[in-house]
Amino acid sequence: MSTNINANVLKNFIVKAIGGDKLTAQQAQKNNIDANKFEEANIDENNYLELDEIIQDADLYEQFATLFVEEQEKDSAEVDKEKQKEEEAKVKDKNESGV
C-alpha cells in the first residue's frame, strides 16, 4: 500500500486516532500497530512515542498510512451508499408520480 501521504495530514489523523500527540503501547495495540515495531521505534525507551517519532519511523508511518487509507475508503463507501439511497428514492418518487 502506498505511503505517499502528507506528513501533516497523517499527523492530524494520528492525533484523531489516538486522542493525543503521544502513542502509548496500549494505544498502539488498540490501533493494531505491531508491538515489535512500536518497541523498535521507542529508542528513548519511555512509555510513549511522540508524533515526530512515529512519522520518522518508516514502519509505523506505513502502518498509520494504511489505517488512514482504510478510513478514507470506508468514508467514501458510506458516502456512495448515501448517494445510492438518494438516487433510489428519487427514482421511486418519479415512478410513483407518473403512475
Side-chain angles (χ1 to χ4, degrees):
M1 184 157 292
S2 176
T3 58
N4 295 330
I5 298 171
N6 179 291
N8 288 327
V9 171
L10 191 58
K11 281 182 180 182
N12 289 335
F13 171 75
I14 293 169
V15 168
K16 180 182 169 188
I18 65 176
D21 62 351
K22 294 179 181 169
L23 176 68
T24 65
Q26 293 82 9
Q27 290 168 322
Q29 182 181 15
K30 181 179 169 184
N31 285 287
N32 297 321
I33 301 300
D34 187 320
N36 292 330
K37 301 300 180 190
F38 178 88
E39 289 300 321
E40 289 173 13
N42 194 7
I43 57 175
D44 52 9
E45 297 183 7
N46 52 12
N47 293 324
Y48 60 85
L49 294 174
E50 294 179 11
L51 284 175
D52 289 335
E53 291 174 305
I54 296 168
I55 297 299
Q56 291 171 0
D57 185 89
D59 291 327
L60 291 178
Y61 184 99
E62 183 176 348
Q63 287 186 9
F64 272 105
T66 300
L67 290 173
F68 175 79
V69 169
E70 289 172 353
E71 187 74 23
Q72 294 296 310
E73 289 173 350
K74 185 174 94 175
D75 290 347
S76 178
E78 289 175 11
V79 168
D80 290 344
K81 285 181 183 178
E82 280 297 317
K83 285 182 181 179
Q84 183 179 3
K85 286 179 183 179
E86 289 174 9
E87 288 297 319
E88 289 172 356
K90 286 179 185 177
V91 168
K92 182 179 177 184
D93 290 344
K94 185 176 179 181
N95 287 339
E96 289 176 355
S97 67
V99 172

